[in-house]
Amino acid sequence: MSEERILLSHGAGGRKSSELTRRIFLKYFKDPALLRLDDMALLDMPAGRLSISTDTYTVDPIFFPGGDIGSLAVHGTVNDVAMAGADPIAMSVGFIVEEGLPMSQLERIASSMARAAREAGVRIVTADTKVVTKGAADRIFINTTGFGLVPEGIHISGHLAREGDAVLLSGTVGDHGIAIASAREGIAFRTTVTSDSAPLNGLVRQLVDALGGDVHVLRDPTRGGLATVLVEIASQSGVGIRIRESDIPVRDAVKGACELLGYDPLYLANEGKLVAMVAQGASERALEIMRSHRYGSEAAIIGETVRDNPGKVVLKTAMGGRRLVDKLSGEMLPRIC
Amino acid sequence: MSEERILLSHGAGGRKSSELTRRIFLKYFKDPALLRLDDMALLDMPAGRLSISTDTYTVDPIFFPGGDIGSLAVHGTVNDVAMAGADPIAMSVGFIVEEGLPMSQLERIASSMARAAREAGVRIVTADTKVVTKGAADRIFINTTGFGLVPEGIHISGHLAREGDAVLLSGTVGDHGIAIASAREGIAFRTTVTSDSAPLNGLVRQLVDALGGDVHVLRDPTRGGLATVLVEIASQSGVGIRIRESDIPVRDAVKGACELLGYDPLYLANEGKLVAMVAQGASERALEIMRSHRYGSEAAIIGETVRDNPGKVVLKTAMGGRRLVDKLSGEMLPRIC
């Protein structure tokens, strides 16, 4: 029997679309808002500050060590919503599927999204599927847009780093980037590195509940990596940032792969890490909270914000030198997320 | 001088990404939430029922008579949010751009989105851009996810049609479908039909404010057309729907094109029309409100809901016969929206 594949009619809005909705999406995304089958979802919300984030995922390959495009699309958006200190509540999902994608792959991705959403405690409340002719897209792209509420009195933003803050990193950098590069190179190049793709809203909740206003900045270093994100924060907040290379956790396998492939781990994408800038007095407590969390066990204090060089990031190298860190220039690995 | 084009590095999250954000997106999308340049937008919201809708736009061609993929992406999502009786407030935008797209085309699309959002009174609060290698996507795809608030006491859904409701249509059907078909066929086939793409939230507001609980169902007949949407509502609400072919407004040019191309206007996509089911006693008032609105001047009462044939739609043909209307089966025009 030949494998069942996605047809153009699955995206036409007619009978086949309803069939696909029932067979795949309602099976895994069981939310009552979605089950109404209206073109919109309705959600009762209390008054408050809504944190909203959108991201489109075009990662290649769509299945990789440590995850797939579905779990990545859930984690990535949950994390962006959470970086304002918010509790992610719900998300929408928009699929673009290339005609001919095996139905089993779409099902595997939907099931993975549902699992990731369950772990993060976020509802998938509405979805849309477009199917494009063969060759007009590469297998599948997914947009997720998430919503959450920021607790009262919490103000966390890339603009709010203050001189003297401690800079913390929740774990090793470069895992996602190397996992994708490794999967893409196929047999010619293999590592044991898996993507760090993970939901960070639980860790954020613990940090913010314990430290409140002492948490100034949270940011997940995805595309562009740790270096780019630090430069952005330095520029947004008008502070200098000093980091110590020797304190930045990097797995040996990632270091090895970087040497082989000519990558710098500071610019590689991460999908389950966060950078936090907290008041100096709260830094040990923040580190302790991170280290006792499943997704922060290798956390470290990697530097501090300073008055010198506002808008710039200075790295103290392992050899003792100092160099200015810039944003990623050019393209390191296309379709990393 | 060669034309400037989108590069992979414009989507890498580094320096070129920042440049693109400043040059195109901040130029047109000037919202203060977006100008913060965090990975999420923050919005103060009162308590209430949130209407959330997501849609991805893959329309081909990306510029067509009466609009482009940008204005369509704004109108489509504004309309879906509004069909719950909600006031659309804000939306997110997710771009997937193929490497090599002329920068001028992206700029034209962003400018068109900003104009459409301004007319609809909706804020573009956060955006994301991914660039994929040449051949991995066809020029540009856009996801928009919108949300709005449903006024207290308003309950409008495909489930809420009641026996005896009047069925209204806000104008002619098939214009968008024929405009796209015509643009795609190029010189071999031309009509004067332009897309009806338009924001319907103003019209919805007037209807709901005037008629309140007498408005039971609102739905925009996009993919799958009027026929598919009516069958969906009949099935969701468990009522029969009777419509009269002779009362359904169709432009002569659309009729002519349908004959030529073998399309049925009842299955063609619309992007600026709505179907309303209202209590019988409110139908004349609803018609009057529609007709006095810019986007409802050709509105008509096209039928009613009945006890017979629950879940089914019966069409009284122009010749006086009766036939059962089914959902679109198969694919009529791929990438219509």
Side-chain angles (χ1 to χ4, degrees):
Chain A
M1 213 182 88
S2 72
E3 190 171 25
E4 196 183 4
R5 291 177 184 275
I6 295 291
L7 309 170
L8 280 175
S9 54
H10 282 121
R15 238 191 294 171
K16 279 280 186 189
S17 295
S18 309
E19 238 178 77
L20 182 70
T21 301
R22 266 194 305 275
R23 274 197 40 195
I24 306 275
F25 301 125
L26 296 189
K27 180 171 169 190
Y28 295 101
F29 308 160
K30 296 191 176 87
D31 197 89
L34 193 125
L35 291 172
R36 288 164 55 98
L37 293 179
D38 280 330
D39 286 338
M40 81 299 289
L42 293 179
L43 277 192
D44 279 312
M45 296 281 286
R49 259 177 314 148
L50 213 53
S51 168
I52 306 157
S53 188
T54 195
D55 249 309
T56 309
Y57 298 84
T58 61
V59 67
D60 172 33
I62 56 178
F63 302 101
F64 50 82
D68 57 57
I69 191 171
S71 53
L72 185 67
V74 171
H75 295 154
T77 290
V78 159
N79 293 349
D80 279 344
V81 169
M83 293 304 137
D87 282 312
I89 295 170
M91 64 170 55
S92 64
V93 180
F95 294 100
I96 299 175
V97 184
E98 184 189 15
E99 178 189 14
L101 184 82
M103 185 72 82
S104 59
Q105 292 192 11
L106 182 62
E107 179 153 8
R108 192 171 150 200
I109 289 164
S111 137
S112 160
M113 294 187 84
R115 203 177 318 114
R118 213 159 33 237
E119 187 199 342
V122 69
R123 297 169 57 184
I124 294 176
V125 292
T126 188
D128 171 61
T129 307
K130 292 293 177 341
V131 180
V132 297
T133 34
K134 207 159 175 60
D138 185 10
R139 288 160 293 162
I140 185 166
F141 302 144
I142 303 178
N143 176 282
T144 46
T145 302
F147 304 81
L149 276 173
V150 185
E152 220 171 321
I154 296 302
H155 296 276
I156 296 171
S157 158
H159 293 86
L160 298 175
R162 298 182 208 162
E163 190 192 319
D165 281 352
V167 179
L168 286 91
L169 175 64
S170 66
T172 56
V173 290
D175 301 49
H176 179 73
I178 292 302
I180 295 297
S182 136
R184 217 178 279 169
E185 302 285 329
I187 48 161
F189 167 74
R190 279 187 192 278
T191 81
T192 53
V193 180
T194 60
S195 168
D196 59 346
S197 180
L200 297 174
N201 53 321
L203 176 52
V204 167
R205 189 76 281 117
Q206 285 188 21
L207 283 171
V208 172
D209 285 353
L211 307 176
D214 280 345
V215 182
H216 301 156
V217 179
L218 295 171
R219 186 73 64 90
D220 53 338
T222 55
R223 278 185 293 179
L226 177 65
T228 302
V229 154
L230 290 175
V231 175
E232 280 172 5
I233 297 169
S235 151
Q236 283 178 292
S237 292
V239 298
I241 297 178
R242 263 200 322 231
I243 52 171
R244 295 172 296 273
E245 190 171 25
S246 55
D247 289 338
I248 299 170
V250 187
R251 283 185 210 296
D252 285 339
V254 168
K255 279 185 196 155
C258 279
E259 272 169 32
L260 206 66
L261 298 167
Y263 293 142
D264 181 339
L266 295 188
Y267 291 93
L268 282 176
N270 311 281
E271 293 292 345
K273 298 293 153 39
L274 62 81
V275 172
M277 310 215 173
V278 307
Q280 198 57 253
S283 64
E284 285 304 326
R285 185 76 207 286
L287 186 63
E288 198 181 293
I289 291 168
M290 283 187 184
R291 286 201 172 154
S292 64
H293 193 280
R294 161 172 193 199
Y295 295 127
S297 56
E298 292 167 284
I301 299 175
I302 62 165
E304 55 280 320
T305 57
V306 294
R307 181 178 311 192
D308 297 349
N309 301 310
K312 308 261 184 229
V313 177
V314 176
L315 178 80
K316 193 177 162 206
T317 66
M319 310 292 288
R322 301 170 98 228
R323 68 172 172 91
L324 219 54
V325 172
D326 204 350
K327 282 190 191 182
L328 174 65
S329 75
E331 168 75 31
M332 205 160 176
L333 267 173
R335 297 180 60 190
I336 192 74
C337 63
Chain B
M1 212 182 90
S2 71
E3 189 171 26
E4 196 184 4
R5 291 176 183 275
I6 295 291
L7 308 171
L8 280 176
S9 53
H10 283 121
R15 237 192 295 172
K16 279 280 186 188
S17 295
S18 310
E19 237 179 78
L20 182 69
T21 300
R22 265 194 304 275
R23 276 197 38 196
I24 306 273
F25 302 124
L26 297 188
K27 180 170 168 194
Y28 296 101
F29 308 158
K30 296 189 174 86
D31 198 88
L34 193 126
L35 292 171
R36 289 164 55 99
L37 293 180
D38 280 330
D39 286 338
M40 81 300 288
L42 293 179
L43 277 192
D44 279 312
M45 296 283 286
R49 259 175 314 148
L50 213 53
S51 167
I52 306 163
S53 188
T54 194
D55 250 307
T56 310
Y57 298 84
T58 62
V59 68
D60 172 33
I62 57 179
F63 301 101
F64 51 82
D68 57 55
I69 192 171
S71 53
L72 185 67
V74 171
H75 295 153
T77 290
V78 160
N79 293 350
D80 278 345
V81 168
M83 294 302 136
D87 281 314
I89 296 170
M91 63 170 56
S92 63
V93 180
F95 294 99
I96 299 175
V97 184
E98 184 188 14
E99 178 189 16
L101 184 83
M103 185 71 84
S104 59
Q105 291 192 10
L106 182 63
E107 178 153 10
R108 193 172 149 200
I109 289 165
S111 138
S112 161
M113 295 187 84
R115 204 177 318 116
R118 211 158 38 236
E119 187 200 342
V122 69
R123 297 168 57 183
I124 294 175
V125 292
T126 189
D128 171 62
T129 307
K130 294 292 176 344
V131 180
V132 298
T133 34
K134 208 162 174 55
D138 184 11
R139 290 162 290 162
I140 185 167
F141 302 142
I142 304 179
N143 176 282
T144 46
T145 302
F147 58 95
L149 276 174
V150 185
E152 219 171 321
I154 296 302
H155 297 277
I156 295 171
S157 158
H159 292 87
L160 297 175
R162 298 183 209 160
E163 191 191 318
D165 280 353
V167 179
L168 287 91
L169 177 63
S170 67
T172 56
V173 291
D175 301 49
H176 179 73
I178 292 301
I180 296 297
S182 136
R184 216 179 280 169
E185 301 286 328
I187 47 160
F189 167 74
R190 277 188 193 280
T191 82
T192 54
V193 180
T194 59
S195 169
D196 58 347
S197 180
L200 297 174
N201 53 322
L203 177 52
V204 166
R205 189 76 279 118
Q206 287 188 20
L207 282 172
V208 172
D209 285 353
L211 307 176
D214 280 345
V215 182
H216 302 157
V217 179
L218 295 171
R219 185 75 64 88
D220 53 338
T222 54
R223 277 186 296 180
L226 177 65
T228 302
V229 154
L230 290 176
V231 175
E232 280 172 6
I233 297 169
S235 150
Q236 283 179 291
S237 292
V239 298
I241 297 179
R242 263 200 322 231
I243 51 170
R244 294 172 298 272
E245 190 172 25
S246 55
D247 289 338
I248 299 170
V250 187
R251 281 184 213 296
D252 285 339
V254 168
K255 278 185 198 156
C258 278
E259 271 169 34
L260 205 67
L261 299 167
Y263 294 143
D264 181 340
L266 295 188
Y267 291 93
L268 283 176
N270 310 281
E271 293 291 344
K273 298 293 154 38
L274 63 81
V275 172
M277 309 215 174
V278 306
Q280 198 56 252
S283 63
E284 285 303 325
R285 185 76 206 286
L287 185 63
E288 197 182 293
I289 292 167
M290 283 189 184
R291 287 202 172 154
S292 64
H293 193 280
R294 163 172 192 198
Y295 295 128
S297 57
E298 292 168 285
I301 299 176
I302 62 165
E304 55 278 322
T305 57
V306 293
R307 182 180 308 191
D308 297 348
N309 300 311
K312 309 262 184 228
V313 177
V314 175
L315 177 80
K316 194 177 158 203
T317 65
M319 310 291 290
R322 302 171 97 227
R323 70 172 172 87
L324 220 55
V325 173
D326 204 351
K327 283 189 190 184
L328 174 65
S329 74
E331 168 75 32
M332 207 159 174
L333 269 172
R335 298 179 59 191
I336 192 73
C337 63

